[in-house]
């Protein structure tokens, strides 16, 4: 699951470049930064010809079964679902972030970030709905750095996989099955230990 993530153009040089390029390209269309919620308009990376370029898209496909939006797609079953199949074949995207949030069973908010990079690339897909481009984040089984908090996590791409994910359809199935790299975690609470001596 990925229900909230964070984009910070202050600490990430790569994200700052993406935001600046969007400002030059789109002018008054502003992409949200900071804590990102479903239905926010945010910077993502898509194919434009043979280049990867930033665009501003809304997070979440319309939920035709009721209210709300679909924000995630399970990587293991996405090819089986009509809503996601064509997107996986023709409209793959990358969601840059500094990290994402999950909540443990005690409802404590935990922030996950890459161990050695300043930017995280989440695999996604996008589509058009009533002349509006929207995206979802692909998720996969949690690795050992997050599994005690949640059983799902975003499908993460390395810097070297960006072009493969966007342009190489032959690699799509392999990337969908990969285990994401390990993450650091931070939380707003600190565990207290009692010193009995």
């Amino acid at each position: 699951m990925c229900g909230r993530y964070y984009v910070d153009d202050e600490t990430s040089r790569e994200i700052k470049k993406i935001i600046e390029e969007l400002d030059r390209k789109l002018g008054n269309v502003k992409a949200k930064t900071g804590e990102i919620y479903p239905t926010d308009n945010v910077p993502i990376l898509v194919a434009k010809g043979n280049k990867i370029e930033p665009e501003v898209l809304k997070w979440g496909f319309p939920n035709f079964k009721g209210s709300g939006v679909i924000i995630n797609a399970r990587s293991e079953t996405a090819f089986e679902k009509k809503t996601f199949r064509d997107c996986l074949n023709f409209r793959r995207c990358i969601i840059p972030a500094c990290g994402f949030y999950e909540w443990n069973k005690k409802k404590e908010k935990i922030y996950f970030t890459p161990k050695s990079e300043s930017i995280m690339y989440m695999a996604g897909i996008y589509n058009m709905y009533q002349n509006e481009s929207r995206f979802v984040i692909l998720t996969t089984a949690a690795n050992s750095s997050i599994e005690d908090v949640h059983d799902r996590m975003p499908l993460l791409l390395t810097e070297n996989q960006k072009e493969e994910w966007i342009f190489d359809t032959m690699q799509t199935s392999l990337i969908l099955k990969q285990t994401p790299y390990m993450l650091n975690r931070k939380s707003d609470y600190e565990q207290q230990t009692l010193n009995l001596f």
Side-chain angles (χ1 to χ4, degrees), residues 69-85:
V69 291
I70 300 165
I71 60 171
N72 297 138
R74 293 175 74 93
S75 61
E76 302 90 338
T77 58
F79 269 125
E80 299 165 19
K81 310 283 184 186
K82 184 179 174 189
T83 303
F84 307 129
R85 189 180 309 121

Side-chain angles (χ1 to χ4, degrees), residues 80-187:
E80 299 165 19
K81 310 283 184 186
K82 184 179 174 189
T83 303
F84 307 129
R85 189 180 309 121
D86 279 352
C87 299
L88 268 173
N89 282 319
F90 306 112
R91 292 179 295 280
R92 294 180 300 278
C93 63
I94 298 169
I95 301 93
C98 295
F100 66 90
Y101 299 98
E102 278 304 341
W103 286 259
N104 64 18
K105 289 180 178 142
K106 296 178 183 176
K107 305 292 187 216
E108 294 160 330
K109 186 177 182 181
I110 301 170
Y111 184 49
F112 291 91
T113 59
K115 284 186 176 284
S116 58
E117 305 295 325
S118 65
I119 188 167
M120 171 184 288
Y121 296 106
M122 299 182 284
I125 51 178
Y126 68 98
N127 209 347
M128 289 287 289
Y129 295 94
Q130 297 174 343
N131 296 321
E132 183 175 51
S133 292
R134 295 170 167 243
F135 73 94
V136 297
I137 296 170
L138 289 161
T139 65
T140 190
N143 65 27
S144 60
S145 64
I146 184 175
E147 65 187 2
D148 62 319
V149 175
H150 202 283
D151 63 348
R152 304 291 298 170
M153 68 183 292
L155 180 62
L156 301 176
L157 305 169
T158 64
E159 175 78 34
N160 295 336
Q161 289 179 310
K162 285 166 43 186
E163 292 205 1
E164 283 182 359
W165 176 249
I166 294 284
F167 296 116
D168 190 347
T169 304
M170 302 297 287
Q171 291 296 315
T172 304
S173 293
L174 294 174
I175 292 173
L176 287 173
K177 293 175 186 157
Q178 75 186 16
T179 301
Y181 53 80
M182 301 296 281
L183 301 170
N184 286 328
R185 67 169 74 183
K186 299 175 191 165
S187 57

